[in-house]
Amino acid sequence: MFKIDLYNLLQVSEGGKKVRNFSTAPSIAYEQKIGSSPFSMEFVLSGNAGFAYYKGYQLTYFKGHWMGGEGLIEGRWYFLQRKRILKGQAGNNLSGIFAGLHNAYGRSLTRIETNSIISASKGTSNVNTVRAVVGMQHRILNHGFVQVKIGAGSARQQFETVYDNGDTTNEKRTPALDLFTEIKAGLAF
């Protein structure tokens, strides 16, 4: 089943006159059931891009934009599926409550400008996460789906920042606790 997330396609938020945020996070996924078992594999490619602006007191401002991408592979177990099939409440498909384990790798590029002493910087981040997740996925009519997931795991993060004055910083955070929530809704084929 191919899935296209429309819920996270465009997000705009505003916090009064001081904060403005615009972001997009398109994703496409392919989930394949393993035979007639309650197990499946999901492969996801997603991107993200955005712009944020903050204007504070005494002409303080922050402006940034970013773009990046992520690849994810997830094994799922629809652990209530057999019971629901025997009761006549479900079919042998990719709908229901699941538990899973996934591995994701993401990379992003960031540009930040402020009117502080350090006026601007460019950054690169690489993040590899392994998470245990629990979620629910349901098909809606013939070509829709909704999915909710929560989970926790470990993230290995590496950041490199290059400032306009030529200074460079490198930072590694490994391992870090990674808590995770996700809501997706869109088209499924």
Side-chain angles (χ1 to χ4, degrees), residues 49-52 62-67 109-113 121 123:
F51 173 82
F62 164 93
K63 182 170 60 172
H65 56 273
W66 64 91
M67 67 179 195
L109 306 171
T110 305
R111 173 80 176 159
I112 297 172
E113 297 175 19
S121 65

Side-chain angles (χ1 to χ4, degrees), residues 3-172:
K3 299 182 283 187
I4 300 170
D5 178 27
L6 300 177
Y7 180 76
N8 295 299
L9 191 58
L10 181 64
Q11 296 177 351
V12 178
S13 62
E14 186 171 331
K17 296 180 179 179
K18 294 183 180 184
V19 180
R20 291 186 177 83
N21 187 21
F22 164 82
S23 64
T24 181
S27 76
I28 186 165
Y30 177 72
E31 186 174 1
Q32 177 66 51
K33 196 162 174 52
I34 300 173
S36 61
S37 74
F39 297 96
S40 72
M41 293 297 294
E42 182 179 50
F43 306 91
V44 181
L45 290 175
S46 61
N48 62 68
F51 173 82
Y53 176 80
Y54 168 79
K55 184 171 188 328
Y57 301 106
Q58 300 174 353
L59 302 176
T60 301
Y61 76 90
F62 164 93
K63 182 170 60 172
H65 56 273
W66 64 91
M67 67 179 195
E70 180 181 75
L72 178 144
I73 184 169
E74 180 173 280
R76 292 182 174 181
W77 173 38
Y78 289 87
F79 55 89
L80 297 177
Q81 189 174 58
R82 289 193 190 266
K83 186 177 181 180
R84 292 179 53 84
I85 290 171
L86 291 174
K87 287 183 175 181
Q89 297 173 334
N92 192 14
N93 57 24
L94 298 171
S95 286
I97 298 171
F98 61 84
L101 184 64
H102 79 221
N103 185 14
Y105 175 77
R107 182 174 174 89
S108 64
L109 306 171
T110 305
R111 173 80 176 159
I112 297 172
E113 297 175 19
T114 70
N115 67 342
S116 65
I117 296 169
I118 301 170
S119 61
S121 65
K122 294 183 284 190
T124 304
S125 67
N126 297 295
V127 180
N128 187 18
T129 56
V130 176
R131 299 179 183 118
V133 297
V134 175
M136 176 185 70
Q137 175 173 275
H138 284 287
R139 295 292 306 266
I140 300 171
L141 302 174
N142 289 332
H143 297 291
F145 82 99
V146 64
Q147 173 180 286
V148 177
K149 283 196 296 192
I150 60 170
S154 175
R156 295 182 181 273
Q157 304 168 329
Q158 181 177 346
F159 304 96
E160 179 183 59
T161 305
V162 179
Y163 299 96
D164 279 353
N165 65 6
D167 291 344
T168 301
T169 62
N170 288 297
E171 181 182 357
K172 289 185 179 181

